[in-house]
Amino acid sequence: MRKNIFLVVLILVLSFQLNAKKITNKVFVHPTAENLSKEEVAVLGITKNVTLIEVDKSKFKVNGDRVHLSPGRHTFQVKRPLGIGYDGELSATLEAGKYYVLDIWSEPAGGRYYRIIYKVFEVSEEDFENYNRKMLDRLIKESKS
């Protein structure tokens, strides 16, 4: 009986850890933002379930960290961690002094198939620091309405 309880608790803890979408404090600076001050850059948080492969056709592999970018339109090549090939490409216009999160979710696409969606969301600095699954769900609902 104790083994079963231990296994259930272990599964719940692992499940919670795998669903965590925290963004670490590790910062990468894209070459376009190297000479810009903190107020002049856009901060893009990459969640742990996304790997950013390229920014504007230049290699830039990041997973679960922050990227400082110059303001303007950027194209991102992304994939799911442990994915074999590139899963998607998306573009977003980022503004100076604002915070964004690049995240992923799936939606039913008919039958047993699911469509993978990548999106860049603008968030407040406070929401950026406390980003999690509930916030992603709220942002998805807001983007659909």
Side-chain angles (χ1 to χ4, degrees):
M1 182 69 176
R2 287 185 183 183
K3 276 187 178 180
N4 291 342
I5 293 172
F6 176 75
L7 286 174
V8 169
V9 171
L10 180 63
I11 290 170
L12 289 173
V13 168
L14 287 175
S15 169
F16 178 74
Q17 290 297 326
L18 293 175
N19 286 328
K21 295 183 158 223
K22 293 292 182 192
I23 298 165
T24 68
N25 288 323
K26 193 169 181 183
V27 175
F28 290 86
V29 179
H30 189 263
T32 60
E34 283 178 355
N35 297 318
L36 300 178
S37 68
K38 183 179 178 182
E39 296 78 26
E40 296 175 307
V41 300
V43 181
L44 178 66
I46 313 299
T47 59
K48 291 227 176 253
N49 53 350
V50 179
T51 301
L52 175 61
I53 301 296
E54 291 180 3
V55 177
D56 299 331
K57 304 294 182 197
S58 62
K59 295 287 182 197
F60 200 79
K61 192 167 184 178
V62 182
N63 174 258
D65 298 309
R66 304 162 189 242
V67 180
H68 287 185
L69 292 156
S70 64
R73 189 141 188 91
H74 297 283
T75 303
F76 307 107
Q77 192 79 42
V78 291
K79 73 172 188 168
R80 290 175 287 171
L82 305 176
I84 294 174
Y86 293 140
D87 285 338
E89 183 175 293
L90 68 152
S91 298
T93 301
L94 308 180
E95 296 180 33
K98 294 199 175 179
Y99 291 81
Y100 301 88
V101 175
L102 172 57
D103 210 335
I104 178 179
W105 74 95
S106 59
E107 291 183 346
R112 60 181 189 199
Y113 298 102
Y114 285 85
R115 179 178 51 208
I116 303 299
I117 300 169
Y118 298 93
K119 186 164 182 171
V120 173
F121 295 98
E122 181 181 338
V123 296
S124 68
E125 183 176 1
E126 182 180 316
D127 287 345
F128 183 87
E129 298 299 335
N130 301 311
Y131 188 76
N132 59 32
R133 181 77 212 181
K134 286 181 183 176
M135 188 168 301
L136 173 63
D137 293 339
R138 181 177 54 84
L139 292 169
I140 291 169
K141 283 181 184 175
E142 289 174 3
S143 71
K144 288 182 177 180
S145 52

